[in-house]
Amino acid sequence: MQAEVPLLTFVIPCLNESRTLSSVIADCYEGGRACGCPFEVIVADNGSTDGSQEIAQSAGAHVVDVPIRGYGAALLAGIRAAKGTYILMGDADSTYEFAQAGQFLGKLQQGYDLVMGNRFKGRIAPGAMPLLHRHLGNPVLSALGRLFFGIKIGDFHCGLRGFNRDAILALNLHCSGMEFASEMVIKSSLMDLRTAEIPTNLWPNPPGRIPHLKTWRDGWRHLKFMLSFSPKFSFLPFTGLLLLMALALLFSFGLGLPPFSGPSTLVFAFSCLVACIGIVSDYLSTREMLYSEYPMRRSGISQRVDSLLGLNRGTDRIFKIAGISAFMSSAGFVALLVFWLQGSLSSRMSSLVTFVTCASLLLSISAYLTAAKISTYRNLHPKSSNANVIKAHVELDK
């Protein structure tokens, strides 16, 4: 390892890994030398009691003591302590090959922000991955990640990954447990960071080692994080389907087509409309919080949403939608009063007017609350430029 400022930092979270740590650090040195660039090795120790810290220091690694327990907490501390422009992280149990550092660094220098290893495209040695993880847990969670977030990654939870330090710090990652792995990938997708994959191998744990990963507990934590943090894709595509279904039911009721001529048709149509408006409102509020808080390269869909709703110029257009909808609902109530005076409140046309009136009132309230929440958030969290956010992170960590 050279004395100049490193280009690459190896970050290894560690908790009682005395049997394998020295060989893992040696593997990092092999990978670093092969890259032909200045590098450093950081071991983020999470409270080891088996001499792992001393082993790491004697092997030439810089040890960062992390008092907060957890995989994510250890990695965050190691990333913040790193001096390299690029980071390659991996476990301390000798299951990954840090000698692949050159492949990861090459992709990062091409402009990718996050480079994931893919164990399914490489080799998974016999006994290296439990069958439950290999055929159920990892494939299902990876598929949900691709569905919810549009992430084109085949191995969502590979522990060997390289990334641009400043880009990842700017995501403001905070999960302290195993779900940190999901948080990094998900936020990278939401912020439109460039990602790539590299085939990597996975080797078995050394005999007698008890894995830190708890299948059901950590699997649930990953799933819960995905379900609660998916404003970009999860339910949004269904809004179009819900809206079409509501309009089709309303049209069928208006024509008196059986079996859609009864009041239950309007109830179901209105339920679809409520769900549609609720999902869009939640999407806009969550998206505003995400895209105002973290720097990103704006994607086409984000720009189109801003342009359509006028969010790039404030929230006036959404407030106007609320006002127009409120006027329509008021006019609807007047029309219903006329139907009542004429004794035709039970007619089919009256039912349709009632539907439109209630839908307008719902849209008015929802649009107003959405615009109000976005305006309040913008006032409390003024947007910063990407450069200023990243600079603040770097200066803080120094």
Side-chain angles (χ1 to χ4, degrees):
M1 186 167 58
Q2 304 178 33
E4 59 260 47
V5 177
L7 177 67
L8 176 66
T9 299
F10 296 88
V11 174
I12 307 167
C14 175
L15 176 61
N16 296 326
E17 303 286 5
S18 59
R19 284 181 291 180
T20 57
L21 189 55
S22 60
S23 64
V24 169
I25 295 174
D27 194 30
C28 292
Y29 270 84
E30 179 184 345
R33 293 192 185 103
C35 291
C37 66
F39 67 93
E40 64 176 347
V41 180
I42 289 180
V43 172
D45 189 77
N46 216 188
S48 296
T49 57
D50 65 346
S52 292
Q53 293 193 16
E54 292 75 14
I55 292 172
Q57 290 171 343
S58 63
H62 172 59
V63 176
V64 176
D65 187 25
V66 187
I68 301 175
R69 296 294 289 268
Y71 175 77
L75 281 169
L76 277 172
I79 293 169
R80 289 175 177 143
K83 298 177 182 178
T85 302
Y86 306 111
I87 291 176
L88 180 61
M89 59 170 260
D91 299 337
D93 55 6
S94 72
T95 55
Y96 291 111
E97 299 175 351
F98 284 96
Q100 286 187 273
Q103 299 177 50
F104 283 88
L105 182 60
K107 287 287 186 181
L108 291 168
Q109 290 180 318
Q110 290 174 21
Y112 291 97
D113 299 297
L114 174 63
V115 182
M116 297 287 297
N118 189 324
R119 297 164 292 184
F120 298 99
K121 289 185 178 179
R123 181 194 175 196
I124 301 176
M129 184 183 291
L131 293 178
L132 185 62
H133 295 185
R134 185 169 184 172
H135 298 291
L136 180 63
N138 204 300
V140 169
L141 290 175
S142 295
L144 289 176
R146 291 190 293 271
L147 174 65
F148 289 171
F149 305 97
I151 300 171
K152 296 182 174 72
I153 289 176
D155 188 1
F156 204 70
H157 297 102
C158 182
L160 186 65
R161 54 184 76 178
F163 47 85
N164 181 299
R165 177 181 181 271
D166 288 346
I168 295 301
L169 280 178
L171 298 179
N172 191 24
L173 306 177
H174 69 274
C175 289
S176 60
M178 288 291 184
E179 68 274 22
F180 175 86
S182 294
E183 181 186 23
M184 179 186 291
V185 179
I186 288 170
K187 285 188 176 179
S188 294
S189 169
L190 292 172
M191 301 303 113
D192 300 307
L193 300 188
R194 292 188 64 197
T195 59
E197 273 191 322
I198 287 178
T200 190
N201 300 327
L202 183 69
W203 302 99
N205 282 298
R209 180 184 181 273
I210 300 176
H212 299 309
L213 178 68
K214 304 299 182 183
T215 299
W216 296 107
R217 182 199 66 183
D218 293 319
W220 164 242
R221 292 173 73 170
H222 283 289
L223 179 59
K224 181 175 66 173
F225 186 87
M226 284 193 285
L227 291 174
S228 61
F229 212 87
S230 53
K232 192 173 183 180
F233 285 97
S234 58
F235 290 110
L236 192 61
F238 296 111
T239 57
L241 178 62
L242 290 169
L243 181 59
L244 288 175
M245 189 179 300
L247 293 175
L249 290 170
L250 186 61
F251 183 75
S252 299
F253 178 85
L255 295 178
L257 300 177
F260 305 108
S261 56
S264 59
T265 298
L266 291 183
V267 172
F268 193 80
F270 193 74
S271 299
C272 291
L273 193 63
V274 169
C276 178
I277 293 176
I279 292 171
V280 172
S281 175
D282 182 71
Y283 167 78
L284 291 175
S285 301
T286 308
R287 176 190 157 285
E288 177 66 24
M289 288 187 286
L290 283 171
Y291 293 171
S292 296
E293 186 72 15
Y294 306 123
M296 71 167 190
R297 282 187 281 274
R298 298 304 288 258
S299 66
I301 186 173
S302 300
Q303 291 172 342
R304 287 193 292 271
V305 169
D306 277 354
S307 178
L308 178 65
L309 296 176
L311 289 173
N312 50 353
R313 296 189 299 272
T315 54
D316 288 354
R317 189 170 297 177
I318 304 181
F319 277 116
K320 289 177 181 177
I321 292 173
I324 293 172
S325 299
F327 175 79
M328 290 178 60
S329 64
S330 299
F333 282 118
V334 172
L336 289 174
L337 178 60
V338 172
F339 279 116
W340 178 68
L341 292 175
Q342 294 177 346
S344 57
L345 197 58
S346 60
S347 67
R348 185 173 300 279
M349 181 56 68
S350 175
S351 298
L352 289 173
V353 171
T354 301
F355 181 94
V356 173
T357 300
C358 293
S360 299
L361 181 61
L362 171 66
L363 180 59
S364 174
I365 295 173
S366 178
Y368 168 74
L369 292 176
T370 301
K373 284 187 284 188
I374 292 175
S375 298
T376 301
Y377 187 85
R378 286 183 175 181
N379 287 326
L380 295 177
H381 301 81
K383 293 183 180 181
S384 301
S385 67
N386 293 7
N388 289 337
V389 173
I390 293 176
K391 181 179 178 182
H393 275 293
V394 174
E395 290 178 349
L396 179 63
D397 294 330
K398 287 181 180 178

